């Protein structure tokens, strides 16, 4: 090497030396460049190997001047990453990590799946109170570096880059599956800004113009079945007619100006996920439902001791309708409660000072918050409609809408189910049980819920309340409804909690029901074995069960009779539902014409 470079690079010399024990003096160099040496030495995690790596890095620190830099080019395998970051975060060093750009790697002819990183360790004088500098540099020009709070956080960021590179490689090899999803985070705050769902439709015939498209989900609609479920997204991808569709969800707490701004922000990033064979200079279409990015207005933020942080937000749905939603941030893909909003009459009063155009434009997005009221006649949840339809099973062949019935609803939520029964069944005495005082407060302040002599709320544990009523030995209720969620997301059953379907407790439910009453349960269970066990447990206590599957949802509504001699065929059920609906449609009362009670029994099964 000395001979080869004697004329071309006369100031460059090559020496044979042990890098863990050099003959150079202390603080001799301003920079040490390591291109793969540490990766080669640190081939495993054996004790002797780690000791050799420690000697190498210690020697690097010895020969560097204060302000000098150790520049290490590495693939950053997990044990190499841990060794580098751990050793140089002990004090006296600043750590900055760069990822070699994709364009640079392509120019060098590299097709390796894993990214290459450059670790820049700057030697500094240790000073008491001097903040530790651990930074991940942006992967694009113009981006901002991210300051990490701990060595672990810095290593996690490197691992995220590596996982993203593997996903890209898989997509470039046409190895996509319906479940490929990833988050794109804000470079400054680190919070998720976009969620990408990559959906390939290999059966779509490929043409010049249908390789790739981007679909932006309007704000607030990400929980809808078409966008929020894997099956729905696959259906969406098939309907728009592109071989690969990148479906993008926008996140609350993030600001988005308009579709053009999003397109400008994402154009470079989405090309990294483009399918192989995309023609050069191919224009990538950005699609959306309704042609814009939707409207989401957070009305209130709060925290529950039981469920954690939550938000109440108004969103624009499909078309011109607006909806108010309660969402617990621990499970942001699930709408806890929802109500439709109706335009209210503008109130009279002093005119507000005219705002300038810029301020007015910014305020346009919060318009729904100040001009809408709750539509109590509209049930947003299909499972609530099915539960209401179940009241037609009372008192064969049908229940009079104004006759006296006593109803117990366990799980208040926004109160829409309890309010609907109260408002449309004028003889009903409704009692709701809610364990979370924060939920009752939200229902009262934001969803139009209020109590009166026919609607009461028991604040407490539904399990304890039912056991207490059962101990009195009196059958008190015509209807008992369970619409209560489980906080344990790892069970495979999100509604109800397991304790609500244990045999001994179900016997208490049976005791508080009248002989001709009905127990209505909202069951959300993805585990087929667990679901079978639950239904079997219920069947041991309630001999007659009608099961109604909610279309396009996991929910199943169980209508459980305490006696077995009330079995009725499907046509009879539908006729009772029609009769009930006629009674509920009182003159002058609002009614959602899309709510047809008989349709709730389209595919009911008897257990």
């Amino acid at each position: 090497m000395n001979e080869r470079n004697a004329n071309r690079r006369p100031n460059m010399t090559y020496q044979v030396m042990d890098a863990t024990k050099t003959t150079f003096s202390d603080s001799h160099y301003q920079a040490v460049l390591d291109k793969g040496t540490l990766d080669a030495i640190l081939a495993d995690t054996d004790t002797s190997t780690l000791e050799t790596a420690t000697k190498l890095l210690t020697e690097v620190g010895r020969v560097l001047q204060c302000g000098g830099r150790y520049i290490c080019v590495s693939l950053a395998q997990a044990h190499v990453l841990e060794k580098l970051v751990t050793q140089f975060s002990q004090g006296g060093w600043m750590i900055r990590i760069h990822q070699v750009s994709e364009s640079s790697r392509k120019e060098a002819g590299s097709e390796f799946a894993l990214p290459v990183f450059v670790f820049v360790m700057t030697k500094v004088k240790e000073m008491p109170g001097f903040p530790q500098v651990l930074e991940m540099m942006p992967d694009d020009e113009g981006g901002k570096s991210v300051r990490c709070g701990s060595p672990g956080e810095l290593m996690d960021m490197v691992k995220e880059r590596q996982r993203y590179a593997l996903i890209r490689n898989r997509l470039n090899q046409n190895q996509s599956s319906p479940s490929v999803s990833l988050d794109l985070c804000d470079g400054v705050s680190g919070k998720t800004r976009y969620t990408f769902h990559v959906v390939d439709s290999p059966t779509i015939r490929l043409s010049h113009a249908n390789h790739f498209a981007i679909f932006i989900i309007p704000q607030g609609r990400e929980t809808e079945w078409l966008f929020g479920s894997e099956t729905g997204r696959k259906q969406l991808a098939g309907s728009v007619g592109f071989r690969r569709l990148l479906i993008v969800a926008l996140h609350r707490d993030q600001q988005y100006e308009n579709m053009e701004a999003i397109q400008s922000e994402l154009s470079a990033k989405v090309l990294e996920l483009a399918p192989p064979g995309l023609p050069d200079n191919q224009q990538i279409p950005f699609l959306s439902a309704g042609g814009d990015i939707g409207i989401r207005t957070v009305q209130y933020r709060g925290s529950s001791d039981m469920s954690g942080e939550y938000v109440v937000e108004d969103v624009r749905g499909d078309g011109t309708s607006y909806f108010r939603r309660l969402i617990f941030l621990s499970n942001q893909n699930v709408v806890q409660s929802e109500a439709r909003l109706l335009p209210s009459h503008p109130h009279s009063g002093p005119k507000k000072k005219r705002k300038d155009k810029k301020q007015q434009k910014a305020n346009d997005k919060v318009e729904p918050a100040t001009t809408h009221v709750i539509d109590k006649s509209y049930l947003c949840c299909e499972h609530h409609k099915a539960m209401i339809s179940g009241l037609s099973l009372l008192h064969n062949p049908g229940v009079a809408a104004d006759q006296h019935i006593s109803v117990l609803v366990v799980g208040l939520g926004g109160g829409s189910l309890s309010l609907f029964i109260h408002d449309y069944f004028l003889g009903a005495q409704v009692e709701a049980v809610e364990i979370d005082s924060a939920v009752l407060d939200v229902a009262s302040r934001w969803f139009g819920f209020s109590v009166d002599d026919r609607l009461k709320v028991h604040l407490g544990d539904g399990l304890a309340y039912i056991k207490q009523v059962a101990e009195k030995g009196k059958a008190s209720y015509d209807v008992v409804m369970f619409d209560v969620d489980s906080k344990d997301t790892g069970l495979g059953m999100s509604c109800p909690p397991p304790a609500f379907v244990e045999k001994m407790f179900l016997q208490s439910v049976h005791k508080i029901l009248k002989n001709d009453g009905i127990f209505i349960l909202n069951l959300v269970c993805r585990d087929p074995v667990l679901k079978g066990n639950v239904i079997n447990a219920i069947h041991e206590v309630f001999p007659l069960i009608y099961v109604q599957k909610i279309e396009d949802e996991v929910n199943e509504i169980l209508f459980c009779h305490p006696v077995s001699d009330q079995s009725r065929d499907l046509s009879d059920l539908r006729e009772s539902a029609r009769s009930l609906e006629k009674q509920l449609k009182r003159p002058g009362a609002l009614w959602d014409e899309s709510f047809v009670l008989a349709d709730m029994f389209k595919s009911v099964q008897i257990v």
Side-chain angles (χ1 to χ4, degrees), residues 252-253 296-301 311-314:
R252 65 178 55 82
D253 298 329
R296 185 207 313 268
T297 304
V298 175
Q299 297 290 359
Y300 182 74
R301 297 176 183 276
V311 296
V312 177
E313 60 186 24
D314 292 351

Side-chain angles (χ1 to χ4, degrees), residues 492-546:
M493 182 171 68
S494 57
C495 187
F500 280 80
V501 287
E502 292 179 356
K503 184 176 179 180
M504 288 187 63
F505 178 70
L506 290 170
Q507 289 172 341
S508 295
V509 177
H510 190 286
K511 288 180 182 178
I512 68 173
L513 263 181
K514 298 176 182 178
N515 285 338
D516 53 359
I518 185 168
F519 167 43
I520 303 175
L521 168 68
N522 177 26
L523 177 63
V524 183
C525 186
R526 297 180 183 275
D527 184 336
V529 175
L530 177 58
K531 181 170 68 176
N533 292 337
V534 167
I535 293 178
N536 288 337
I538 298 173
H539 199 266
E540 288 184 31
V541 180
F542 294 90
L544 176 60
I545 303 174
Y546 298 98

